[in-house]
Amino acid sequence: QTKCINTPITTITYTTTGSTGATFSGLPTGVTGNWLANTVTISGTPSVSVGSPYTYTVNLTGGCGTITTTGTITVTPNNTIVLSSVVGTNAQTKCINTSITDITYTTTGATGATFSGLPNGVNGSWLANTVTISGTPTVFVGSPYNYTVTLTGGCGSITKTGKIIVNQNNTIILSSAAGTDNQ
């Protein structure tokens, strides 16, 4: 079986004859084995992924002969996402119609990403374990833009947030009587 960390395995059962018990080795932390009334049961929730895949062994005790069986439980760690662009790029301030500094994150385990909260003109993409947010904000209404990157595929519900502040261009308008600017 292959399971995400902290996700229960599908219970594994073996029927035995002649034995009076069983010992277990190689199970991931959080998964246990039990023998009762000629039935071996392996169940639980793996809480670690380091060392995966776990090849476990069931040794029957009592009765005649040395009888063992093995199996494998693969525990997949949760996805990860880490800022890989310059520190601070995930919280930047730009003028409208000025390109943002690309924001990049390195991911593991995911097969894609979704994006929300980005200003118009700014887009996100995921390719080969890299999230890239780039573009030129074309609006300032609604700023600051608090964005969220959510990894898809793999294990865990993993998100990362950041902020893009878009400022409007400076303006200057004559507010005194017409012609006062040309005396």
Side-chain angles (χ1 to χ4, degrees):
Q1 300 183 41
T2 298
K3 294 291 181 175
C4 291
I5 191 169
N6 298 318
T7 301
I9 67 166
T10 302
T11 300
I12 304 164
T13 58
Y14 297 97
T15 302
T16 67
T17 58
S19 66
T20 59
T23 61
F24 305 86
S25 62
L27 292 170
T29 302
V31 176
T32 58
N34 185 40
W35 180 93
L36 181 64
N38 289 321
T39 301
V40 166
T41 304
I42 298 173
S43 61
T45 302
S47 59
V48 295
S49 62
V50 176
S52 183
Y54 296 92
T55 300
Y56 65 85
T57 302
V58 179
N59 293 303
L60 297 183
T61 59
C64 296
T66 302
I67 306 298
T68 64
T69 192
T70 62
T72 303
I73 300 172
T74 302
V75 183
T76 305
N78 282 333
N79 298 339
T80 63
I81 183 168
V82 177
L83 182 69
S84 54
S85 55
V86 175
V87 173
T89 55
N90 58 335
Q92 55 184 290
T93 301
K94 293 292 179 174
C95 293
I96 191 169
N97 298 318
T98 302
S99 295
I100 67 167
T101 302
D102 285 359
I103 304 163
T104 59
Y105 296 93
T106 301
T107 68
T108 60
T111 58
T114 61
F115 304 86
S116 63
L118 293 172
N120 289 347
V122 176
N123 298 299
S125 65
W126 180 93
L127 181 63
N129 290 318
T130 300
V131 166
T132 303
I133 299 172
S134 61
T136 303
T138 59
V139 295
F140 66 88
V141 176
S143 185
Y145 295 94
N146 295 305
Y147 69 84
T148 302
V149 179
T150 303
L151 298 183
T152 58
C155 293
S157 178
I158 308 299
T159 62
K160 203 60 134 172
T161 60
K163 182 185 338 186
I164 299 172
I165 298 171
V166 182
N167 291 324
Q168 64 181 339
N169 285 332
N170 294 337
T171 61
I172 186 167
I173 299 173
L174 180 64
S175 55
S176 58
T180 58
D181 59 336
N182 192 13
Q183 298 185 31

